[in-house]
Amino acid sequence: MQPDTPKRVLESLTSTVLTFDADLRLTSINPAGEMLFETSAKKITGYKLSELLPRSGRIAEVLQETLSSRHPFTARSIRLLLPGRRRITVDCTVTPFDENDEALLVELTQVDRLLRLTRDEDLLERQAANRIVIRGLAHEIKNPLGGLRGAAQLLERELDDPGLREYTRIIIHEADRLRTLVDRMTGPIQPLKKEVVNIHEVLEHVARLMLVEVPVGLTIERLYDPSLPEIKGDRDQLVQAVLNVVRNAVEATQGSGRVQLRTRAERNFTIRQKRHRLVLCVDIEDDGPGIPADLREHIFYPMVTGKPSGTGLGLSIAQDIITKHGGLIGCESRPKQTVFTLHLPLENNHGQA
Ligand SMILES: Nc1ncnc2c1ncn2[C@@H]1O[C@H](COP(=O)(O)OP(=O)(O)OP(=O)(O)O)[C@@H](O)[C@H]1O
Ligand SMILES: [Mg+2]
């Protein structure tokens, strides 16, 4: 083993490793920890645990217990409030460690993200399978539809009685409606036209569209991070994806609530087993009643709707578009606070961190 191998191992770990002295002052932190705390080791070394995590009493208890018992200890599912008000759940293993000033070795593994990621992967796999069935079905419907419409048109030309022409017009109109539905079901088939896109321009465009549709009663708040770089993507398809999610938010508040659009960057985020150093996040939050419990697990499936006249395609299409951009849509919902988050990789080469 090379002399610097242990150091390199620590640097490559994806879980956070920290060491503390007997006064619970931080003596070292690995790069995964720097990413979690969104700061550098230099800035926080020497700080007390109570200063780093002021509202996380359980973790202080675990460290104190290990200091006095001198036995390793693992505590599961501890809730942490990180600087920047981010809440996460971690498993925490503390090992007594008598080396120079270092008294405790602490490993934190973020578990909520792992759970969510496996669920995301399952969801995407099932969606992909569904989409194949739907595309097949749509194809089968579309073929005879063309013939049906053409025959009705020919028939219309032969008919002198306007009363009878009314019937052929209904056939043509309904065939067109079905065709639009089938086109929506198969999703945006066009390949991505990649260009440089400013996500704030996309959001502003969608906000304007919504305010034209619902001119009274709707409040759209914006909290943008202006330092975010531009992304490579298909602007029109991104507008479509954001619009589908924002329209749901507006519909959930019945057009008279508050919808908030936020942008931010998140570090070290895994999408379909690929770890990205930096992803752009768009949060779309509304204060409506929340997603009905019986639909919660299924809303991204096509044809799943809780609305009397919904087609249940909006989210499935949005997910499809964001997936084609290498991203992911997530969702957290409770009454008065539903947040859909669009994650889009930021690095140009989509490379691994
Ligand atoms: N912000 C939200 N708050 C509450 N429920 C939501 C929200 N967004 C989506 N849903 C639920 O998810 C379902 C599926 O949404 P989706 O956009 O896929 O279809 P839809 O809105 O019903 O129909 P379409 O978008 O095709 O017109 C909705 O019917 C609704 O029940
Ligand atoms: Mg919708």
Side-chain angles (χ1 to χ4, degrees):
M1 209 189 263
Q2 300 290 322
D4 61 346
T5 301
K7 186 165 172 271
R8 275 198 279 123
V9 168
L10 264 183
E11 284 174 357
S12 313
L13 279 178
T14 52
S15 50
T16 293
V17 179
L18 313 142
T19 56
F20 288 90
D21 67 14
D23 294 328
L24 298 190
R25 277 182 199 284
L26 183 74
T27 48
S28 70
I29 180 167
N30 72 338
E34 292 179 301
M35 284 200 220
L36 189 74
F37 282 86
E38 293 184 354
T39 186
S40 66
K42 240 187 192 162
K43 277 200 183 134
I44 53 170
T45 304
Y47 274 74
K48 289 199 89 155
L49 178 73
S50 53
E51 294 164 326
L52 292 174
L53 296 167
R55 305 249 307 269
S56 304
R58 177 75 186 116
I59 205 159
E61 274 172 34
V62 174
L63 264 66
Q64 283 295 355
E65 273 166 33
T66 314
L67 265 183
S68 41
S69 72
R70 313 300 300 156
H71 289 302
F73 190 87
T74 297
R76 303 236 174 250
S77 302
I78 298 186
R79 301 273 291 158
L80 289 188
L81 180 66
L82 292 176
R85 309 201 55 74
R86 242 177 349 119
R87 280 180 196 284
I88 59 165
T89 308
V90 293
D91 282 351
C92 166
T93 301
V94 189
T95 314
F97 189 69
D98 277 316
E99 187 120 335
N100 306 325
D101 305 341
E102 288 162 350
L104 293 173
L105 178 76
V106 179
E107 282 172 72
L108 302 178
T109 314
Q110 196 175 341
V111 287
D112 42 3
R113 181 173 286 185
L114 281 180
L115 284 177
R116 216 196 55 223
L117 284 174
T118 13
R119 280 184 37 203
D120 289 344
E121 306 281 319
D122 285 355
L123 182 73
L124 288 170
E125 232 165 73
R126 273 179 283 154
Q127 271 183 356
N130 268 344
R131 208 159 285 135
I132 293 171
V133 175
I134 285 175
R135 277 194 208 285
L137 196 63
H139 189 70
E140 288 306 306
I141 295 175
K142 230 165 144 172
N143 276 346
L145 260 187
L148 209 70
R149 191 187 195 282
Q153 266 178 322
L154 289 176
L155 189 61
E156 190 173 53
R157 276 188 226 148
E158 302 297 320
L159 294 173
D160 299 324
D161 182 347
L164 291 178
R165 278 214 298 271
E166 182 61 20
Y167 293 136
T168 48
R169 212 148 292 150
I170 290 174
I171 299 174
I172 293 169
H173 179 260
E174 289 302 296
D176 287 345
R177 204 169 60 88
L178 205 52
R179 197 194 156 100
T180 315
L181 177 70
V182 167
D183 282 344
R184 277 198 82 201
M185 274 168 69
T186 49
I189 335 163
Q190 307 91 330
L192 295 184
K193 277 194 251 99
K194 288 237 178 161
E195 54 194 321
V196 175
V197 182
N198 178 332
I199 197 71
H200 298 131
E201 189 274 322
V202 169
L203 290 168
E204 283 302 294
H205 184 75
V206 169
R208 269 197 307 277
L209 287 177
M210 280 326 304
L211 288 167
V212 169
E213 243 175 69
V214 186
V216 187
L218 172 67
T219 312
I220 299 187
E221 295 172 359
R222 284 87 146 181
L223 266 178
Y224 296 159
D225 175 351
S227 69
L228 286 175
E230 293 179 316
I231 55 170
K232 274 253 168 98
D234 185 316
R235 188 245 177 212
D236 292 347
Q237 292 199 27
L238 286 172
V239 165
Q240 181 68 62
V242 174
L243 184 63
N244 288 1
V245 178
V246 174
R247 179 168 282 140
N248 281 346
V250 173
E251 286 169 355
T253 64
Q254 299 189 321
S256 60
R258 184 189 57 89
V259 173
Q260 198 174 67
L261 308 177
R262 295 189 297 264
T263 57
R264 61 196 161 83
E266 193 162 323
R267 278 171 207 287
N268 213 17
F269 194 88
T270 306
I271 301 173
R272 283 180 290 284
Q273 279 140 25
K274 201 182 223 178
R275 205 163 125 222
H276 297 274
R277 248 194 312 274
L278 206 59
V279 294
L280 185 153
C281 301
V282 178
D283 293 322
I284 296 153
E285 182 176 321
D286 69 74
D287 59 359
I291 299 165
D294 55 331
L295 289 188
R296 215 159 274 177
E297 296 292 316
H298 314 289
I299 50 168
F300 288 100
Y301 291 130
M303 318 300 280
V304 169
T305 180
K307 300 170 193 169
S309 57
T311 58
L313 292 175
L315 285 178
S316 144
I317 291 171
Q319 182 77 282
D320 205 17
I321 294 172
I322 298 300
T323 303
K324 281 203 288 181
H325 281 83
L328 188 77
I329 306 185
C331 163
E332 300 231 356
S333 178
R334 64 175 95 128
K336 304 243 37 114
Q337 193 187 31
T338 297
V339 189
F340 279 82
T341 303
L342 277 49
H343 304 269
L344 289 161
L346 262 181
E347 60 266 44
N348 291 333
N349 53 4
H350 287 199
Q352 283 191 247

